[in-house]
Amino acid sequence: MSLVPVNEPVVNPRAPFYRRLPVVSHFQKSVGLQRGMLVAGLILTAIFLLTACFAPLLAPYGYSQLSDADGNFPTQEAPGGKHLLGTTVGGYDVLSRVIWGAQTALFVIVVAVLMSVVIGVILGLVSGYIGGWLDRILVVIADAVYAFPSLLVAIVMAIVISGGQSSLIGGIFAAGTAITLVFIPQYFRVIRAETVRLKAEPFVESAKVVGASNTRIMTRHIYKNATRSLPLIFTLNASEAILILAGLGFLGFGIEPSSAAEWGYDLNKALADTTSGIWWTGLFPGVAIVLTVMGLTLVGESINDLNDPRLRGRKAAGATGGPDSSTAAQAAISADVRGI
Amino acid sequence: MTTLIDAPPSDADGILPASKKTSGGGLGQYILVRFLLIFPTIFILVTIVFFLMRITGDPITTAMGGRLPAEQLQERIQNAGYDRPILVQYFEYLGQLATGNFGRTLSDNRAVSEMLATYGSATLELSINALIIALLVGIPLGMIAAQRRDHAPDAVLRVFAILCYATPVFFAGMLLKLTFAVWLGWLPVAGRAKTSSELALTSLQAPTGIYWLDAVRSGNMAALGDVMAHAVLPAVALGLLTAGIFLRLVRTNVIGTLGKDYVEAGRSRGVSEFRLVTKHAYKPALIPIITVMGLQIAVMLGGAVLTEKTFEWKGLGFQLANYLTARDFVAVQGIVVLLAIIVAVTNFIVDIVAALIDPRVRY
């Protein structure tokens, strides 16, 4: 996704703490269509999070359950009756697999994004602050990895971590680490660029004069300032993480059905069903992926647009309307220049 | 996208003086430096891939482990030279790569380079088809969204763009297949062509491997129709993924240029709104789009892997999935390295095109 360095929206610094939180402050600046997209995204994301957290309560059966008190589940049964969304060729309940899949996706997102944030931020800070040959080498490596198809990077990492064998217990961890390598360059680039810019700022110089150590300057002064654009990358990466996880699962690098439910794996198994007209095994996990990614992307896109004055909708733009909206955009830019 | 870093001085020394003759300083030098940058990029990716793949052990044990008795396994490892120090193997691999020798696959014992040539053309064909769809869908819709900004068409198109991005290409493919191939029966379910037309096309003299091109060259209209019918669904599935990104890009950039003074001047002269968007605002908006296209090539190759698996399109991605299942990591490594080269070269071309269009890029 785009890696435009962004500025947090200018909010009144005296506003109460909760109003200055990233998403809340964006919500207050949004109008009309933009607010609708942000709200829709937040709702979809909330549904995803709640499903993931309460999967054990919501799912009628376990993710690897093949039978209940009445005996074995039928295979490839059409939706309806006891199995609301039908059963797969292996005899799993589709609804339960879809619900449990949200939990797997959330685990992987958390592992992948946390690890890449930590490693990417540290590398970015050190590289940008110290500079020199270390900086050069890291930038070249990060650029090379960044330019490469992310799915292939993840495949290579999945081979390394799970040795090509689908591991059982470490499945989530393996997938998360594979995705981490894809994301590190993104965090690295953003943080490094900010660090290089901030290094020349007077407050860093004054910290040096006062006698602060390099470590302290990096961890206190620069770190706090350089990480402002992270919420945006975070949401966009979370959605990309789901897509990569599903892609890995679809290619057979997913998590075994006996250890967790994973949407991509289910789609892989459903591929063979489509030719015989069996749609429910593929449709529902696919819709789950689409809705989750859409929710996260809507939130990320809205934040991105609201941070960019050229794209931010204004109340005035909504009122004047007409095909002449470029004038409104122009007005928005000049309004921003004047500092309104 | 690609940051300019210093080219390795050893390579640059011999060639730089020559460029002074051909160029007036700016463009020629930029192209040269940018060209030399291809090599470190490929070199880094090859190095990373090689060492990462070897962390797990030698390829023969991974591919055959458990299926061959221990002594036979040992013998094969020794024959292939995988028992030597890793650094020796690494430099040998680099040397082989430089001469175009990618080794032999373990699972079906064929030359990797030959495998790449055979299946690469199929992937190329798929990517070209998908790119055409993406441009045909993305650019006009992006212009409409920019023109009707903050109105209903814009809202619908923006949600459509996000939907394109949010739908995994294999799920989109599955839905298309289910609807148009299985239920409606309009288009074939999978593959690149019927067996009969495939035979006719591969028996041609010096085939390009791009089926529609071969069909046109040989004048085989029945085969052309067949190939086209097979190409529609995969191209749409993969094309829509990128179309969403193009739509968004065109929209953002056209909105940016629509606010410029010269557009206002055009409007005051009585230029129609349609012409303002399609001519005045659109052309300058193209520059950022071309630069981003370089990154889209990488996205598209990743998507091609999944599309090919969905439609049994016998290209690199389809083979990659097969070799992954067979744990044949020599073949996997070969495919990954080839894709790395393609990505590096396309990025180079895109940067040059951007520099030709916009002189400000040549810094």
Side-chain angles (χ1 to χ4, degrees), chain B residues 84-134:
Chain B
R84 291 170 302 159
I86 184 92
L87 275 179
V88 175
Q89 292 181 43
Y90 169 64
F91 285 112
E92 190 187 82
Y93 184 66
L94 282 186
Q96 284 177 350
L97 277 189
T99 56
N101 175 4
F102 285 68
R104 296 192 80 81
T105 63
L106 295 170
S107 47
D108 46 7
N109 192 30
R110 53 196 291 197
V112 176
S113 46
E114 176 209 311
M115 183 267 293
L116 293 177
T118 317
Y119 295 105
S121 54
T123 303
L124 181 67
E125 182 184 340
L126 175 64
S127 310
I128 294 174
N129 294 347
L131 194 64
I132 293 172
I133 299 262

Side-chain angles (χ1 to χ4, degrees), chain A residues 291-310:
Chain A
L291 289 182
T292 311
V293 175
M294 226 176 120
L296 288 165
T297 313
L298 279 171
V299 174
E301 292 262 299
S302 304
I303 294 180
N304 188 24
D305 286 1
L306 290 170
N307 282 340
D308 188 338
R310 286 175 308 156

Side-chain angles (χ1 to χ4, degrees), chain A residues 164 166 246-256 264-265 268, chain B residues 309 325 327:
Chain A
S166 301
L248 282 178
F250 185 73
L251 287 177
F253 272 89
I255 299 156
E256 290 287 315
Y265 177 91
N268 177 13
Chain B
K309 167 106 169 120
T325 326
R327 310 291 164 209

Side-chain angles (χ1 to χ4, degrees), chain B residues 6 63 132 136 147 164 180 242 246 259 264 306-307 315 336 356:
Chain B
D6 295 334
I132 293 172
L136 282 182
Q147 163 72 21
C164 284
F180 294 103
T242 327
F246 283 149
E264 196 61 37
L306 297 168
T307 316
V336 172
L356 288 175

Side-chain angles (χ1 to χ4, degrees), chain B residues 1-345:
Chain B
M1 183 179 54
T2 0
T3 12
L4 209 73
I5 39 127
D6 295 334
S10 54
D11 294 271
D13 281 346
I15 315 167
L16 266 178
S19 76
K20 277 182 188 154
K21 274 181 280 177
T22 54
S23 75
L27 185 62
Q29 193 152 4
Y30 175 76
I31 293 179
L32 187 78
V33 171
R34 192 56 198 79
F35 176 74
L36 292 175
L37 274 176
I38 295 178
F39 297 105
T41 312
I42 295 174
F43 170 74
I44 287 165
L45 283 173
V46 169
T47 308
I48 295 176
V49 169
F50 180 87
F51 283 104
L52 282 181
M53 297 285 244
R54 287 305 166 79
I55 291 177
T56 47
D58 69 280
I60 290 182
T61 315
T62 334
M64 313 280 177
R67 279 190 282 156
L68 285 179
E71 294 125 47
Q72 249 180 312
L73 202 65
Q74 215 52 47
E75 196 188 305
R76 289 199 55 170
I77 292 175
Q78 210 154 17
N79 285 343
Y82 288 127
D83 54 346
R84 291 170 302 159
I86 184 92
L87 275 179
V88 175
Q89 292 181 43
Y90 169 64
F91 285 112
E92 190 187 82
Y93 184 66
L94 282 186
Q96 284 177 350
L97 277 189
T99 56
N101 175 4
F102 285 68
R104 296 192 80 81
T105 63
L106 295 170
S107 47
D108 46 7
N109 192 30
R110 53 196 291 197
V112 176
S113 46
E114 176 209 311
M115 183 267 293
L116 293 177
T118 317
Y119 295 105
S121 54
T123 303
L124 181 67
E125 182 184 340
L126 175 64
S127 310
I128 294 174
N129 294 347
L131 194 64
I132 293 172
I133 299 262
L135 293 173
L136 282 182
V137 173
I139 291 181
L141 291 185
M143 288 201 269
I144 294 174
Q147 163 72 21
R148 306 287 300 149
R149 183 184 176 210
D150 290 331
H151 291 271
D154 183 29
V156 172
L157 286 173
R158 289 182 73 186
V159 172
F160 170 74
I162 293 178
L163 202 63
C164 284
Y165 165 77
T167 312
V169 54
F170 47 90
F171 179 55
M174 209 180 267
L175 290 181
L176 288 171
K177 208 163 137 175
L178 206 54
T179 319
F180 294 103
V182 178
W183 287 339
L184 297 173
W186 291 350
L187 294 163
V189 175
R192 289 181 66 194
K194 276 188 290 205
T195 327
S196 55
S197 24
E198 198 148 319
L199 272 176
L201 291 175
T202 41
S203 58
L204 285 177
Q205 195 109 58
T208 55
I210 297 174
Y211 279 2
W212 53 260
L213 198 61
D214 284 341
V216 170
R217 284 198 322 171
S218 62
N220 188 342
M221 282 307 134
L224 180 66
D226 181 42
V227 167
M228 288 295 199
H230 278 85
V232 173
L233 290 185
V236 170
L238 183 55
L240 281 184
L241 171 79
T242 327
I245 299 166
F246 283 149
L247 197 166
R248 236 181 45 143
L249 269 172
V250 172
R251 176 185 177 273
T252 313
N253 286 305
V254 170
I255 284 178
T257 43
L258 270 179
K260 292 274 166 61
D261 288 342
Y262 68 86
V263 174
E264 196 61 37
R267 185 175 287 127
S268 65
R269 284 200 311 273
V271 179
S272 72
E273 284 297 321
F274 177 78
R275 204 182 152 78
L276 275 180
V277 173
T278 52
K279 294 271 178 231
H280 296 233
Y282 168 64
K283 285 229 174 116
L286 263 184
I287 296 161
I289 294 166
I290 287 170
T291 22
V292 177
M293 259 175 80
L295 278 182
Q296 287 320 306
I297 300 291
V299 173
M300 203 166 236
L301 283 176
V305 173
L306 297 168
T307 316
E308 287 176 10
K309 167 106 169 120
T310 315
F311 288 98
E312 287 160 49
W313 185 276
K314 299 223 166 33
L316 286 180
F318 182 77
Q319 287 302 106
L320 180 69
N322 281 350
Y323 285 124
L324 280 172
T325 326
R327 310 291 164 209
D328 182 345
F329 293 158
V330 177
V332 171
Q333 192 170 312
I335 294 176
V336 172
V337 166
L338 178 74
L339 293 180
I341 295 173
I342 294 176
V343 168
V345 171

Side-chain angles (χ1 to χ4, degrees), chain A residues 58 69 77 97 111 117 144 168 198 220-221 226 231 244 256 281 286 288 328:
Chain A
L58 291 171
E77 197 189 52
R97 298 270 308 166
V111 170
V117 167
L168 293 172
L198 290 167
R220 294 238 135 223
H221 302 261
I244 296 177
E256 290 287 315
T281 48

Side-chain angles (χ1 to χ4, degrees), chain A residues 222-290:
Chain A
I222 293 182
Y223 167 74
K224 285 256 171 80
N225 285 293
T227 48
R228 286 184 312 165
S229 56
L230 286 189
L232 170 64
I233 315 177
F234 183 90
T235 41
L236 292 179
N237 275 355
S239 57
E240 205 184 338
I242 294 181
L243 289 178
I244 296 177
L245 174 70
L248 282 178
F250 185 73
L251 287 177
F253 272 89
I255 299 156
E256 290 287 315
S258 47
S259 57
E262 203 269 297
W263 295 330
Y265 177 91
D266 290 353
L267 278 168
N268 177 13
K269 292 292 156 206
L271 187 59
D273 296 346
T274 47
T275 29
S276 43
I278 295 172
W279 49 273
W280 57 90
T281 48
L283 181 70
F284 297 114
V287 168
I289 297 176
V290 173

